[in-house]
């Protein structure tokens, strides 16, 4: 074997904590810790990056990292029970050993955002890397200007990180607009799809905007942001594909000549508009 | 140059087998492929292109990435000798050089620190390539469209010409020369041999199709992404994926686990962008759910995307996809179709 790094080998991780996010138990957040200290030291990442979550015998699936680099020693993922790997992840118990490969891909442009107002638009359980980003910015609060968050879910139960959302809602240095698709009894916040709410909130177009959610939400939110007057190079989004290798070889996540796993997952609208099949 | 009588080739191959695991064109069932051989008598000298490409030698159809059990992970080590491949053709040698850009040391995407693939490197890095001239290119061959030539030496360690009763071997790389120096039984090639080679080359070239200018292909493809041409091209494709499996440059793969309980292995397998499930996500969302999208992906990857990333086309004109396609979707016709295509919208838009 050559002595180059073998990126196909997963890093062993211990399941420290499992949080069931919603009543139908389909969304769970996993706090993983490193089994080996040297792996922990080597693993440095930024908000927006992703990992391949590996269950031996079942395979691997890509997930955005939901924890922030400021939360040392813990790597967090929120997993929706959808296919065979995620099903197996949902069977995990605290204390079990799993594997991750990563961190992979690029990250949100946190350097560029310094000193700027930031608008975050998210939908559903794609809020993971956005949580990473928000926690990171709140930890380094003085580096950033006004932070506005627009977050939508189909139903109030389907928000993730509900406790943190409550805490953020109490703070005066972050403005939270939570919305659900349809009116629900007892829900006293916003109602309507994310693009429509974004239009109503009408964030200041001189700020930078990070959008992450299901493809259909991104597709309809981008025109709203453009209409409000956001500069193309100030809109960022994170894309997702069924990444397998995560290192730009296996061919699944190609969009045009770019690979989401190595050129992305974070792209500016300026870049995306040149790529024909981004959505 | 070293001249070896065909009847004495076994001695040469045996010498080669002392230092290398030797692969060559050979029968595999009813088809031909590059196979590990134990004697020169297994070599199929009489065919130009094998049915399956030699990518399998360095990037096998299935390959164990690691085994897992209660004892942890075990990565397979390659303790065998390095690989030598006899009977490679220029197109195939070129394809390995392309794959070495993706997996190996050859070229990294500009401005990008690319991961190298240890499984590829452990096989490719020390290999010895015998590149054999094609005396009779096939009717499906079109290497000359991609700067290839049946008598090109590019990428070879040793260049081999079959002159009838003899093989003439010429060292191309230092590695190739070093090996040839070990072989003492050869004769020296004569002026008559060189004349014969020149004549064979001329004949071989006459077999090839007329060269078409493919330089405008890349730029043209930048403009046709959302044009109706893709529906025309893909209408008859049945998405069987045969083209991608025989292709010497296609390298998409899947990673999957096989095993029961705590014991098993993680394997990578060739996959194909022609398959609907290739990109289908667990949610049901599929960015390339339509056949047209998939055919466009394959063609664009070959003649546009790869060029964008690695400055060359991902095709060597070996013609295997032309031979194998069950609906006669001829990639040469596709190239011509794209080049001749009149844009439906104004080019300035």
């Amino acid at each position: 074997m050559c002595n180059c790094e073998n990126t196909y080998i997963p890093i062993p991780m211990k399941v420290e904590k499992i949080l069931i996010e919603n009543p139908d138990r389909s969304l769970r957040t996993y706090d993983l810790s490193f089994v080996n200290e040297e792996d922990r030291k080597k693993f440095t990442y930024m908000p927006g990056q992703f990992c391949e979550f590996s269950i031996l015998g079942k395979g691997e699936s890509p997930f955005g990292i939901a924890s922030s680099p400021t939360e040392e020693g813990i790597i967090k993922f929120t997993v929706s029970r959808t296919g065979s790997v995620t099903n197996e992840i949902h069977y995990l118990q605290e204390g079990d050993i799993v594997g991750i490969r990563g961190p992979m891909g690029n990250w949100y442009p946190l350097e560029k955002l310094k000193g700027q107002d930031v608008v975050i638009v998210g939908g559903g359980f794609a809020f993971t890397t956005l949580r990473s980003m928000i926690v990171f910015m709140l930890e380094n609060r003085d580096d950033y200007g006004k932070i506005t968050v627009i977050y939508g879910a189909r139903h109030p139960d389907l928000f993730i990180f509900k406790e943190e959302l409550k805490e953020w809602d109490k703070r005066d240095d972050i403005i939270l607009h939570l919305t659900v698709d349809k009116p629900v009894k007892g829900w006293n916040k916003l109602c309507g799809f994310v693009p429509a709410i974004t239009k109503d909130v009408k964030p200041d177009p001189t700020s930078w905007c990070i959008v992450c959610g299901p493809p259909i939400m991104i597709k309809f939110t981008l025109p709203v942001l453009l209409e409000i007057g956001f500069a193309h190079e100030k809109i960022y989004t994170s894309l997702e594909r069924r990444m397998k290798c995560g290192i730009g070889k296996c061919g699944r996540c190609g969009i045009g000549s770019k690979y989401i796993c190595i050129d992305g997952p974070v792209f500016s609208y300026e870049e995306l508009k040149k790529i024909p099949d981004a959505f | 140059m070293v001249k070896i009588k065909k009847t004495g080739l076994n001695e040469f191959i045996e010498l080669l087998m002392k230092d290398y695991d030797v692969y060559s064109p050979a029968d595999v069932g009813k088809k031909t492929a590059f196979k590990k051989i134990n004697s020169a008598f297994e070599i199929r000298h009489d065919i130009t292109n094998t049915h399956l490409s030699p990518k399998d030698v360095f990037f096998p159809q299935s390959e164990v990435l690691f085994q897992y059990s209660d004892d942890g992970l075990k990565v397979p080590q390659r303790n065998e000798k390095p690989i030598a491949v006899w009977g490679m053709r220029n197109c195939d040698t070129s394809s390995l050089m392309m794959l070495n850009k993706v997996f190996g040391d050859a070229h990294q995407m500009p401005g990008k620190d690319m991961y190298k693939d240890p499984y590829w490197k452990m096989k490719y890095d020390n290999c010895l390539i015998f590149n054999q001239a094609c005396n009779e290119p096939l009717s499906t061959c079109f290497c000359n469209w991609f700067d290839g030539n049946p008598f090109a030496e590019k990428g070879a360690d040793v260049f081999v010409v079959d002159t009838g009763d003899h093989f003439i071997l010429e060292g191309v790389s230092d590695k190739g020369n070093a090996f040839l120096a070990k072989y003492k039984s050869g004769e020296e090639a004569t002026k008559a041999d060189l004349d014969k080679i020149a004549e064979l080359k001329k004949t071989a070239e006459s077999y090839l199709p007329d060269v078409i200018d493919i330089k405008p292909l890349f730029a043209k493809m930048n403009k046709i992404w959302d044009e109706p041409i893709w529906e025309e091209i893909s209408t008859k494709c049945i998405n069987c994926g045969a083209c991608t499996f025989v292709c010497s440059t296609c390298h998409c793969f899947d990673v999957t686990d096989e095993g029961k309980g705590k014991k098993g292995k993680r394997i990578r397998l060739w996959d194909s962008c022609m398959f609907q499930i290739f990109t289908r996500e667990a949610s049901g969302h599929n960015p390339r759910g339509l056949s047209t999208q998939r055919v466009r992906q394959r063609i664009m990857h070959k003649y546009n995307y790869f060029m964008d990333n690695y400055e060359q086309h991902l095709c060597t004109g070996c013609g295997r996809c032309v031979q194998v396609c069950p609906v006669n979707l001829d990639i040469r016709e596709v190239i011509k179709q794209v080049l001749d295509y009149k844009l439906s919208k104004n080019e300035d838009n």
Side-chain angles (χ1 to χ4, degrees), chain B residues 326-343:
Chain B
V327 296
N328 296 323
L329 182 51
D330 188 328
I331 205 158
R332 295 169 298 185
E333 295 305 318
V334 173
I335 292 171
K336 287 182 191 162
Q337 218 173 325
V338 170
L339 287 171
D340 294 343
Y341 185 73
K342 300 250 180 312
L343 297 170

Side-chain angles (χ1 to χ4, degrees), chain A residues 257-268:
Chain A
S257 51
K258 305 277 183 206
Y259 287 103
I260 290 184
C261 69
I262 51 172
D263 300 296
V266 176
F267 293 94
S268 71

Side-chain angles (χ1 to χ4, degrees), chain B residues 124-328:
Chain B
Y124 186 77
D125 282 359
N126 305 313
C127 74
L128 189 70
I129 303 284
F130 289 81
N131 194 1
Q132 187 172 333
C134 302
N135 292 351
E136 290 181 30
L138 306 173
S139 62
T140 45
C141 289
F142 58 115
C143 64
N144 55 340
W145 292 15
F146 299 98
D147 292 331
N149 183 287
F151 275 62
E153 301 172 359
K154 200 175 155 199
D157 295 304
V158 178
F159 181 60
V160 182
V161 184
D162 177 346
T163 55
D165 295 333
H166 293 84
F167 287 110
I168 313 283
L169 277 64
E170 184 195 356
V172 179
S173 71
D174 292 346
K175 211 166 28 171
N177 277 315
F179 181 79
L180 287 185
K182 290 186 187 177
Y183 182 70
K184 310 287 181 207
S185 317
E187 305 162 42
E188 206 29 55
T190 62
K191 168 85 172 54
D193 292 320
L194 296 182
D195 290 347
K196 174 85 179 168
I197 292 173
E199 186 197 319
L200 285 169
K201 181 170 189 269
K202 219 172 145 192
T203 314
E205 284 167 351
S206 73
Y207 279 75
L208 292 171
D210 292 338
V211 180
I212 63 161
D213 182 15
I214 58 155
K215 277 197 197 76
L217 193 58
F218 173 78
K220 185 68 174 279
M221 287 204 153
N222 278 336
K223 293 177 188 151
I224 59 165
W225 199 86
D226 49 3
E227 292 277 321
I229 185 176
W230 296 111
E231 271 152 48
E232 290 165 38
I233 291 170
S234 65
T235 307
K236 65 178 177 180
C237 177
I238 54 169
N239 290 158
C240 70
C243 51
T244 58
F245 278 75
V246 297
C247 179
S248 58
T249 62
C250 276
H251 55 270
C252 287
F253 61 85
D254 190 15
V255 180
T256 185
D257 288 6
E258 271 179 19
K260 205 176 172 194
K262 289 181 174 173
K263 208 173 161 205
K265 39 196 156 181
R266 179 155 294 168
I267 298 172
R268 76 163 161 209
L269 294 139
W270 292 352
D271 207 339
S272 170
C273 61
M274 288 291 99
F275 298 154
Q276 202 251 3
I277 59 163
F278 184 61
T279 48
R280 195 174 68 203
E281 294 161 20
S283 65
H285 176 70
N286 194 345
R288 293 201 286 270
L290 300 172
S291 171
T292 309
Q293 294 169 326
R294 297 193 288 276
V295 171
R296 176 172 60 197
Q297 169 67 20
R298 174 168 151 78
I299 305 292
M300 289 288 284
H301 188 205
K302 296 232 164 283
Y303 304 116
N304 183 275
Y305 305 156
F306 198 79
M307 178 69 107
D308 219 3
N309 287 326
Y310 297 104
E311 289 151 359
Q312 70 180 137
H313 294 298
L314 186 65
C315 177
T316 62
C318 75
R320 286 187 177 90
C321 59
V322 182
Q323 286 173 6
V324 83
C325 182
V327 296
N328 296 323

Side-chain angles (χ1 to χ4, degrees), chain A residues 29-30 45 49 63-68 71 75-78 127-133 135 160-161 164:
Chain A
T29 297
Y30 295 83
Y45 68 100
Q49 288 193 281
F63 299 100
I65 305 174
S67 49
S68 153
E71 300 168 291
I75 306 294
K76 203 188 270 286
F77 299 97
T78 300
F127 201 70
T128 52
T129 55
L130 295 180
R131 178 208 175 263
S132 170
M133 164 106 178
V135 171
I160 50 175
F161 316 121
E164 278 171 310

Side-chain angles (χ1 to χ4, degrees), chain A residues 3-48:
Chain A
N3 49 18
C4 65
E5 195 190 350
N6 189 342
T7 41
Y8 295 101
I9 305 297
I11 304 165
M13 304 291 286
K14 186 176 158 201
V15 180
E16 286 292 338
K17 202 175 111 196
I18 302 172
L19 177 68
I20 298 172
E21 295 277 7
N22 59 344
D24 76 1
R25 307 170 82 83
S26 63
L27 293 166
R28 299 181 194 209
T29 297
Y30 295 83
D31 285 4
L32 309 181
S33 67
F34 291 89
V35 171
N36 302 316
E37 178 61 15
E38 59 268 34
D39 289 335
R40 188 188 70 79
K41 282 188 199 144
K42 256 173 67 184
F43 196 98
T44 53
Y45 68 100
M46 287 297 281

